[in-house]
Amino acid sequence: MNETLLIAIISAGLSALINCIFQIVNKIIDNNKERLQKNITELEVYKEKKEKVYIAAIGRLLEIRRGFDYTHEMVVSNNTIQQKIEKNNVAFAEISPQLRLYAPDSIFNEYYKLSAYSRFAYAPQNGPRLVEDSKWAFDTSITILARLMQEDLGYRELTSEYVPIVCPRCQTEHDVYSKCPSCNMKYS
């Protein structure tokens, strides 16, 4: 009888020990899953914020592009346009610092170069204005920047897809990243 009692006590202790080991292993697995899920969630939130900043940056550049088609005199004489410009300027005030925070240097530098063209937006009638080819080159530069942003977000690979464009001078279809093979027009 002592032997059966001893065997029962050892069996109960052994099963409790095995149960504790399984609980510890399950707890470790749960903690690792939880930590992994937290990291994935943080990356998704970061990517969403980055995407919103990129969209706002492209929106700002498109606003600058729209400004090429208006003169200062048109803006002064039209209160609706003037209010819209002021509203957009307030909305876009924090784009550069946010872009500096989220974007790699290549994207930020390209945005900064393109945003320097804002001096030509809403320029006086007799002041420095861009010609149509320059406006088209600005549009193309925005497209290139958008593609860089898409690559950074992981939406597309720049080298995986050939996107032809039509040259504004000679109407030849070619790649957007090179100069025109017919008229040698460069996009920088």
Side-chain angles (χ1 to χ4, degrees):
M1 184 149 156
N2 287 339
E3 291 177 4
T4 57
L5 184 62
L6 189 60
I7 292 175
I9 291 174
I10 291 174
S11 295
L14 192 56
S15 88
L17 177 66
I18 291 173
N19 189 22
C20 286
I21 290 173
F22 279 128
Q23 287 179 359
I24 290 171
V25 168
N26 285 337
K27 186 65 173 174
I28 290 171
I29 290 171
D30 290 343
N31 286 343
N32 286 339
K33 281 183 183 179
E34 191 174 303
R35 193 171 333 128
L36 181 63
Q37 185 62 34
K38 181 180 175 188
N39 289 343
I40 289 172
T41 305
E42 287 175 357
L43 286 174
E44 287 174 357
V45 168
Y46 177 78
K47 188 175 178 179
E48 286 176 14
K49 288 180 182 179
K50 189 181 219 184
E51 183 179 21
K52 287 179 184 176
V53 169
Y54 283 176
I55 290 170
I58 294 295
R60 177 63 177 159
L61 293 175
L62 291 174
E63 182 66 30
I64 291 171
R65 171 58 184 93
R66 282 189 289 277
F68 297 160
D69 297 330
Y70 292 97
T71 63
H72 179 71
E73 292 78 15
M74 289 177 177
V75 172
V76 170
S77 65
N78 191 331
N79 287 337
T80 307
I81 296 174
Q82 195 172 14
Q83 290 172 353
K84 184 177 178 183
I85 292 170
E86 290 172 8
K87 179 183 167 191
N88 287 337
N89 285 341
V90 170
F92 293 134
E94 295 184 14
I95 288 176
S96 289
Q98 289 177 349
L99 194 63
R100 180 73 258 158
L101 179 65
Y102 290 110
D105 291 339
S106 60
I107 291 176
F108 179 77
N109 291 337
E110 187 66 26
Y111 171 81
Y112 189 73
K113 282 191 273 186
L114 291 175
S115 66
Y117 280 85
S118 63
R119 67 179 176 264
F120 297 111
Y122 310 109
Q125 182 69 34
N126 298 330
R129 300 193 41 93
L130 294 179
V131 296
E132 287 302 314
D133 283 349
S134 297
K135 292 176 187 178
W136 185 87
F138 186 81
D139 288 338
T140 303
S141 297
I142 291 173
T143 302
I144 292 170
L145 179 61
R147 290 181 184 170
L148 289 172
M149 291 174 175
Q150 289 172 347
E151 181 186 34
D152 186 46
L153 291 170
Y155 295 154
R156 76 164 9 164
E157 292 291 324
L158 284 178
T159 58
S160 67
E161 193 174 324
Y162 173 74
V163 180
I165 61 162
V166 177
C167 179
R169 284 190 187 158
C170 64
Q171 303 302 317
T172 303
E173 189 175 285
H174 57 87
D175 188 7
V176 72
Y177 297 106
S178 63
K179 65 182 182 177
C180 179
S182 297
C183 67
N184 293 325
M185 179 177 154
K186 293 183 181 179
Y187 300 111
S188 60

